[in-house]
């Protein structure tokens, strides 16, 4: 009997231990889920807050240029005027660039004429994204931000000259490591392509510097890690598949895509 009692007690104790272990495991699982949800919730909140950066700065003084998109792009359709978009469902080409980036200059040199032609015929819409990731390469003058601010100013106040001004800034691109162009030099370039003098003179007000910063942050969240970066209809274009730094390859790809 003593042996039976001991065996019964041992079985009872074993069951009690198993139940206790099950309770501990359940508590750990629940705690893990709570932590995971908290982390996920924090991540979602962070992303939402970051994505709202452009919305938070609003329009007007030190806000977003009138002809910009929520993504930080400046759309240009067949008219060549910033902010005017065609309604015939063109291929959307988003071009992310920094005015100090030498590879962006190569991209502009190799592709600007082709993109202009495809855009003017209504095949594509180009969303220009001037961002500032190379400010530290202009000897403390924040050239990338200043140039992007100037482009945003033109998009807002003289949108018919936006494309020409963007091209002119690349034609006069300073070297990385230099102080870049002064605000007065940027303004002089703008006037040569037709931008009214009063608009060019307002570059030094830095009206859109917060927009440039928010657009740069948004670009990073959208997967842009360097410039130039190209998206076609919302999908990043793999440079190893389409060498968009080689003359004619991007145009050929877009033409084939439009025909398919």
């Amino acid at each position: 009997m003593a042996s039976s009692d001991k065996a019964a007690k041992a079985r009872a104790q074993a069951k009690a231990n198993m139940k206790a272990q099950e309770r501990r495991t359940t508590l750990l699982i629940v705690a893990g889920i709570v932590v995971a949800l908290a982390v996920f919730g924090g991540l979602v909140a962070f992303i939402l807050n970051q994505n709202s950066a452009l919305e938070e700065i609003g329009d007007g003084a030190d806000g977003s240029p009138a002809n910009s998109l929520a993504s930080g792009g400046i759309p240009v359709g067949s008219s060549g005027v910033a902010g005017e978009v065609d309604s015939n469902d063109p291929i959307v080409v988003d071009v992310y660039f920094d005015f100090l980036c030498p590879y962006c200059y190569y991209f502009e040199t190799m592709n600007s004429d082709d993109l202009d032609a495809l855009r003017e015929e209504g095949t594509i819409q180009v969303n220009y994204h001037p961002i500032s990731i190379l400010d530290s390469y202009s000897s403390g003058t924040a050239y990338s931000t200043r140039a992007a601010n100037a482009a945003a100013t033109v998009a807002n106040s003289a949108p018919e000259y936006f494309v020409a001004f963007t091209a002119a800034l690349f034609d006069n691109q300073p070297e990385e490591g230099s102080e870049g162009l002064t605000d007065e030099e940027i303004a002089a370039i703008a006037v040569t392509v037709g931008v009214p003098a009063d608009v060019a003179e307002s570059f030094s007000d830095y009206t859109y510097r917060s927009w440039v910063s928010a657009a740069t942050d948004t670009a990073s969240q959208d997967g842009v890690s360097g410039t130039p970066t190209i998206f076609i209809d919302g999908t990043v274009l793999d440079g190893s598949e389409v060498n968009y730094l080689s003359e004619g390859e991007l145009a050929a790809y877009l033409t084939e895509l439009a025909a398919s």
Side-chain angles (χ1 to χ4, degrees):
M1 291 292 294
S3 178
S4 292
D5 289 343
K6 288 182 179 180
K9 288 181 180 180
R11 286 195 296 271
Q13 186 61 49
K15 287 182 180 180
N17 290 340
M18 288 179 63
K19 288 181 179 180
Q21 182 60 40
E22 287 174 357
R23 284 194 296 270
R24 285 194 294 270
T25 301
T26 300
L27 288 172
L28 287 173
I29 291 172
V30 170
I33 291 172
V34 170
V35 171
L37 288 174
V39 171
F40 178 74
L43 179 61
V44 170
F46 172 78
I47 292 172
L48 290 176
N49 287 335
Q50 292 293 93
N51 285 342
S52 66
L54 283 166
E55 297 176 0
E56 288 178 357
I57 64 174
D59 298 319
D62 206 21
S64 300
N67 294 307
S68 62
L69 302 170
S71 65
I74 296 173
V76 180
S78 60
S79 68
V81 177
E84 293 187 3
V85 178
D86 296 326
S87 59
N88 62 345
D89 195 28
I91 297 168
V92 178
V93 181
D94 286 87
V95 181
Y96 292 80
F97 59 89
D98 186 306
F99 280 113
L100 191 59
C101 166
Y103 289 102
C104 296
Y105 167 78
Y106 298 150
F107 177 87
E108 173 75 10
T109 302
M110 295 295 103
N111 296 288
S112 61
D113 289 344
D114 289 337
L115 292 181
D116 285 348
L118 290 169
R119 177 178 50 73
E120 289 167 4
E121 69 184 29
T123 301
I124 66 172
Q125 170 192 320
V126 182
N127 296 337
Y128 295 84
H129 295 257
I131 60 176
S132 57
I133 60 175
L134 296 177
D135 272 343
S136 61
Y137 290 83
S138 55
S139 300
T141 72
Y143 175 73
S144 296
T145 290
R146 292 188 296 111
N149 166 77
T153 302
V154 172
N156 183 84
S157 302
E160 65 271 32
Y161 300 109
F162 173 77
V163 174
F165 178 55
T166 297
L169 280 181
F170 277 119
D171 287 341
N172 293 274
Q173 185 184 67
E175 293 184 0
E176 286 183 317
S178 71
E179 293 184 353
L181 303 174
T182 65
D183 292 334
E184 292 75 18
E185 289 171 327
I186 296 173
I189 291 170
V191 171
T192 64
V193 300
V195 175
D198 62 327
V199 175
E201 289 168 2
S202 72
F203 291 166
S204 58
D205 294 337
Y206 307 130
T207 303
Y208 300 109
R209 62 189 172 195
S210 294
W211 177 81
V212 173
S213 177
T216 302
D217 290 343
T218 298
S220 177
Q221 294 155 44
D222 288 343
V224 176
S225 58
T227 54
T229 294
I230 315 302
F231 283 74
I232 306 296
D233 285 336
T235 300
V236 68
L237 182 61
D238 188 341
S240 65
E241 296 180 2
V242 180
N243 184 2
Y244 46 75
L245 294 181
S246 179
E247 188 172 9
E249 288 204 22
L250 178 57
Y253 172 77
L254 291 170
T255 300
E256 182 179 351
L257 186 63
S260 61

